[in-house]
Amino acid sequence: MKKQPPRNIYCLEGNWRTNPRCKQSVRPMLDILRDAAGIKYIYRKCNTREEFFEYLRQYTFERYRNYTILYIAFHGRPNKIQIGRDLVTLREIADILEGFLAHRVVYFGSCSTMRTKRANIDDFLHRTKADILAGYSKDVDFIQATAWELCCFFDPKIIFQLTDQIKRLPSFVLMNFQSHSYCIISQNLLYQKYYHPKVRYRNVNYIWDYWI
């Protein structure tokens, strides 16, 4: 039986509000995964673009090889994340991570970042070698998204059991590098899959089939 890779998480999070006293954060969700499921995590708060790029660069270090989920939690725009007033594109993130993400997942917990051209998604995956790229193609409620992400990180198969939650969640987009399957989970549970033209069709039983 194929040994499953660890699902430890390397999280980079921005500020959700301008009020410095705001405590809104995904970190309590990560604490639940650690305390209840034994999933380890590294957490880095990024207040500036420069901090984000530095912590992103550190993710390529050998000591983080078992942190196979890169979780990027920020405000988002189409094809971008937002850090304060600065915007960072998927291409800029791929520039830092190029060639380093084999057997890893990149999860954008940010509104609308996956509302982008297929070519941008393909470029990110092929350059970074990430197995899976996931995120949202529309604006999403923070609480609903965090609950969804808790389930995804704990057990990807739960996706198929959360019918009510999925119906209320704006489109969730996931790209699997192994099968070249581009999936959109929409509000009516419609699964749309697109395959790279140079790759033969492969049946995908589960969206995160490589991880379960």
Side-chain angles (χ1 to χ4, degrees):
M1 183 176 179
K2 182 175 64 175
K3 183 179 180 180
Q4 299 299 325
R7 289 205 187 110
N8 298 329
I9 299 168
Y10 186 93
C11 175
L12 304 180
E13 185 178 32
N15 293 310
W16 299 105
R17 301 182 187 276
T18 57
N19 186 340
R21 296 181 180 179
C22 175
K23 296 183 179 180
Q24 182 174 336
S25 174
V26 300
R27 191 163 189 173
M29 179 265 288
L30 297 174
D31 286 338
I32 292 173
L33 289 170
R34 180 196 61 200
D35 297 340
I39 296 174
K40 299 178 183 179
Y41 74 84
I42 298 293
Y43 176 88
R44 299 286 184 261
K45 190 65 177 288
C46 304
N47 296 307
T48 66
R49 176 188 174 97
E50 290 72 24
E51 285 182 345
F52 173 75
F53 281 127
E54 174 58 25
Y55 290 134
L56 200 64
R57 185 184 66 83
Q58 290 182 18
Y59 182 56
T60 65
F61 293 175
E62 177 66 17
R63 65 175 175 266
Y64 298 123
R65 67 185 182 278
N66 289 327
Y67 289 81
T68 54
I69 298 174
L70 173 59
Y71 179 31
I72 299 176
F74 288 81
H75 285 299
R77 302 276 186 89
N79 194 51
K80 303 176 182 73
I81 63 168
Q82 184 172 352
I83 308 174
R85 296 183 178 180
D86 295 324
L87 298 174
V88 177
T89 66
L90 290 178
R91 177 177 289 275
E92 290 177 290
I93 294 172
D95 287 342
I96 302 295
L97 300 174
E98 187 160 359
F100 281 103
L101 300 187
H103 309 303
R104 300 191 188 190
V105 170
V106 180
Y107 193 111
F108 282 97
S110 52
C111 293
S112 301
T113 298
M114 300 295 282
R115 191 194 307 163
T116 186
K117 296 179 181 178
R118 170 66 184 268
N120 292 331
I121 293 176
D122 286 343
D123 176 74
F124 186 96
L125 285 167
H126 285 285
R127 290 174 60 204
T128 65
K129 307 305 180 186
D131 285 354
I132 294 174
L133 174 62
Y136 304 101
S137 65
K138 295 181 180 180
D139 289 349
V140 64
D141 177 79
F142 179 85
I143 294 176
Q144 289 180 335
T146 304
W148 168 266
E149 289 153 12
L150 173 67
C151 294
C152 286
F153 296 151
F154 172 62
D155 185 352
K157 288 179 286 188
I158 292 179
I159 291 174
F160 297 90
Q161 302 168 9
L162 297 181
T163 303
D164 292 338
Q165 286 82 349
I166 292 173
K167 287 180 179 178
R168 298 173 184 172
L169 192 68
S171 295
F172 174 79
V173 179
L174 183 147
M175 177 73 185
N176 187 320
F177 182 76
Q178 296 290 329
S179 64
H180 295 265
S181 143
Y182 182 51
C183 305
I184 298 176
I185 304 177
S186 66
Q187 294 180 13
N188 61 359
L189 279 178
L190 174 65
Y191 292 80
Q192 298 177 349
K193 299 181 182 180
Y194 304 89
Y195 293 85
H196 193 284
K198 295 183 179 179
V199 178
R200 295 180 67 182
Y201 173 83
R202 302 179 189 179
N203 184 35
V204 181
N205 294 321
Y206 295 102
I207 293 181
W208 287 34
D209 61 322
Y210 182 75
W211 294 85
I212 58 182

